[in-house]
Amino acid sequence: MKNFKKISTLFVTTLLVGTFSPLGVVGTTVSAATSEQPEIDAAAAFVIEPTTGKVLLNQNGDKKLGIASMTKMITEYLLLETIKNGDLAWDDQIEISEYAHKISQNYDLSNVPLRIDDTYSVEELYQAMAIYSANGATIALAEHIAGDEKTFVDMMHEKVESWGITNYELYNTTGLSNADLQGNIYPGSTEDSENAMTAREMAIVAQQLLTDFPEVLNTSSISEKTFREGTDDEIKMKNFNWMLPGLIYERENVDGLKTGTTDFAGASMTGTVEEEGMRLITVVMNATNGQKDKSKRFAETDKMMDWAFESWDMVPAFEENQLIENIDPVVVDNGKKDAIELAVKSDVSLLVPKNTDMKNTTVEVQLKEDLLNEADHLTAPIEKGTDVGTAQVISEGDELGYVNGDKGEEINVVAASTIEKANVFVLAGRWAKAFISDLF
């Protein structure tokens, strides 16, 4: 973590929160890693709670696999970001290139028909991409934003890397195999190249999309819409996420997010659902026999959603300004007092397996490096409530951690009191006392 320094063993490294009385939470200790995680019939599976990034299930989640049209979540993010920045408007008209047109005419792929002699609004192409996974429409949007697909793919690389995603391959905006792109392939790739990521990284993509652009759910939740209604090109776009309302595997409260299917990736899905105020992001990659058994990815997603809601609770751990106890206070130089206690800045809740004993919780504190002197101490004056660092709150036995690799929920830590700077006489007395002590 940049600009932070873990408190040395003279102060605190890991502390037990046994006396925090965490708001009446009682029960027996249950390890998050052993809370009867279900076996998901797929090459990989992953579940997170997006506001905290807490990982609830990880089955082979760090193996790189094909992502197919789940790729389009990255394209959606960049499109929505471009609109937010004022560089594009929903009613802007887009001309269709020969490349986008040819792809759109291939009905072995998911597509809406596009014409070279017509223009299309950003909004209708976006809806075709998000609802119907239309590949030609996706390419047309990317070309309009970046000038060509290659440049847009470069933008995708930069964006995912800014999210900490490193174990990826991105060659196009759609998730198609390069073999389907009629020679329009990314420099350095081959006809066999195809987009790939880990299930963890797909969860991060979905988390970023939902966090920064929650309005994406207004479109991803549409079960069916007509493209170019009333024209010769009219086509019914039925969402490939069959868990949406009115579709064959409907589940209440599912409102996204993106499926993907190729021979390389198999039948995959990134789903999202919100129940009783808690949202989940689920990832299923290459559901077993999923291209023949059309229900498979939805059944496995449904299984994960059921288990997560039944097995995990958000429970309070700390109250605002609560002292972090059972530790040696942090040393302060040049102050009227020579140490200061720390407190949590705001209320803290943890997502933990049901019946977890919150007394078995640890905290790891890191102080801001720019506040520390050469002795790694704080220096007076310090005002009460000053942000002095962060802490990770860790539930004992939690081996799953957080989607970004953190071990615990990160919180801000503040000074619990004010310490004024000592006058020269007090400082001189301390120096003399220390000098005499060193002599003997």
Side-chain angles (χ1 to χ4, degrees), residues 264-412:
F264 173 67
S268 302
M269 176 179 174
T270 299
T272 187
V273 62
E274 184 174 22
E275 294 181 9
E276 297 182 357
M278 185 168 82
R279 180 169 290 280
L280 301 176
I281 291 172
T282 62
V283 181
V284 170
M285 300 181 75
N286 196 3
T288 302
N289 201 35
Q291 289 177 272
K292 292 183 178 179
D293 182 356
K294 302 299 184 183
S295 70
K296 193 66 176 180
R297 60 181 149 188
F298 307 116
E300 297 307 296
T301 297
D302 193 55
K303 182 194 301 183
M304 292 194 297
M305 290 176 175
D306 279 345
W307 173 81
F309 284 122
E310 291 170 359
S311 303
W312 291 76
D313 272 334
M314 188 75 77
V315 298
F318 301 98
E319 294 179 318
E320 181 180 356
N321 295 323
Q322 186 173 346
L323 291 179
I324 302 177
E325 299 176 350
N326 294 347
I327 64 170
D328 293 333
V330 177
V331 174
V332 177
D333 290 340
N334 301 335
K336 288 185 176 180
K337 296 182 180 179
D338 58 9
I340 193 167
E341 293 182 304
L342 304 180
V344 297
K345 186 174 184 179
S346 58
D347 292 348
V348 179
S349 294
L350 295 180
L351 191 60
V352 296
K354 289 187 176 181
N355 299 319
T356 294
D357 187 346
M358 292 299 291
K359 291 181 180 179
N360 296 315
T361 301
T362 59
V363 177
E364 291 182 356
V365 177
Q366 289 183 311
L367 296 178
K368 291 182 177 180
E369 284 191 346
D370 58 0
L371 295 181
L372 299 177
N373 57 33
E374 291 183 357
D376 285 341
H377 300 168
L378 296 175
T379 303
I382 301 172
E383 291 292 326
K384 180 179 179 179
T386 299
D387 279 313
V388 295
T390 61
Q392 287 192 13
V393 186
I394 306 166
S395 177
E396 183 177 293
D398 183 2
E399 298 176 5
L400 295 175
Y402 287 69
V403 69
N404 64 355
D406 285 350
K407 294 184 293 181
E409 174 76 4
E410 187 169 281
I411 60 173
N412 288 328

Side-chain angles (χ1 to χ4, degrees), residues 138-371:
T138 302
I139 293 168
L141 287 166
E143 290 180 323
H144 185 77
I145 292 170
D148 56 61
E149 187 177 26
K150 183 267 180 190
T151 303
F152 194 93
V153 172
D154 290 339
M155 293 169 58
M156 295 168 74
H157 291 177
E158 183 177 356
K159 182 58 64 178
V160 300
E161 287 174 13
S162 75
W163 297 333
I165 293 173
T166 57
N167 191 22
Y168 72 90
E169 295 177 42
L170 290 172
Y171 303 110
N172 57 63
T173 61
T174 58
L176 293 172
S177 168
N178 273 356
D180 292 318
L181 299 184
Q182 302 182 25
N184 295 280
I185 65 174
Y186 188 79
S189 64
T190 69
E191 288 284 317
D192 296 326
S193 297
E194 193 162 329
N195 296 349
M197 281 187 179
T198 68
R200 179 189 298 274
E201 290 173 333
M202 287 312 308
I204 291 173
V205 170
Q207 180 191 33
Q208 294 290 334
L209 181 58
L210 292 181
T211 299
D212 293 345
F213 302 106
E215 63 270 24
V216 72
L217 296 174
N218 296 334
T219 305
S220 67
S221 62
I222 296 174
S223 302
E224 184 174 316
K225 188 175 182 63
T226 302
F227 180 78
R228 294 242 144 171
E229 188 169 9
T231 72
D232 291 341
D233 294 329
E234 175 178 308
I235 185 172
K236 294 287 185 182
M237 301 187 297
K238 182 175 288 188
N239 203 310
F240 290 103
N241 178 3
W242 293 351
M243 299 182 77
L244 292 175
L247 301 184
I248 188 170
Y249 299 111
E250 175 183 357
R251 179 190 173 107
E252 189 175 5
N253 300 317
V254 169
D255 49 7
L257 197 55
K258 193 72 193 71
T259 60
T261 309
T262 64
D263 290 342
F264 173 67
S268 302
M269 176 179 174
T270 299
T272 187
V273 62
E274 184 174 22
E275 294 181 9
E276 297 182 357
M278 185 168 82
R279 180 169 290 280
L280 301 176
I281 291 172
T282 62
V283 181
V284 170
M285 300 181 75
N286 196 3
T288 302
N289 201 35
Q291 289 177 272
K292 292 183 178 179
D293 182 356
K294 302 299 184 183
S295 70
K296 193 66 176 180
R297 60 181 149 188
F298 307 116
E300 297 307 296
T301 297
D302 193 55
K303 182 194 301 183
M304 292 194 297
M305 290 176 175
D306 279 345
W307 173 81
F309 284 122
E310 291 170 359
S311 303
W312 291 76
D313 272 334
M314 188 75 77
V315 298
F318 301 98
E319 294 179 318
E320 181 180 356
N321 295 323
Q322 186 173 346
L323 291 179
I324 302 177
E325 299 176 350
N326 294 347
I327 64 170
D328 293 333
V330 177
V331 174
V332 177
D333 290 340
N334 301 335
K336 288 185 176 180
K337 296 182 180 179
D338 58 9
I340 193 167
E341 293 182 304
L342 304 180
V344 297
K345 186 174 184 179
S346 58
D347 292 348
V348 179
S349 294
L350 295 180
L351 191 60
V352 296
K354 289 187 176 181
N355 299 319
T356 294
D357 187 346
M358 292 299 291
K359 291 181 180 179
N360 296 315
T361 301
T362 59
V363 177
E364 291 182 356
V365 177
Q366 289 183 311
L367 296 178
K368 291 182 177 180
E369 284 191 346
D370 58 0
L371 295 181

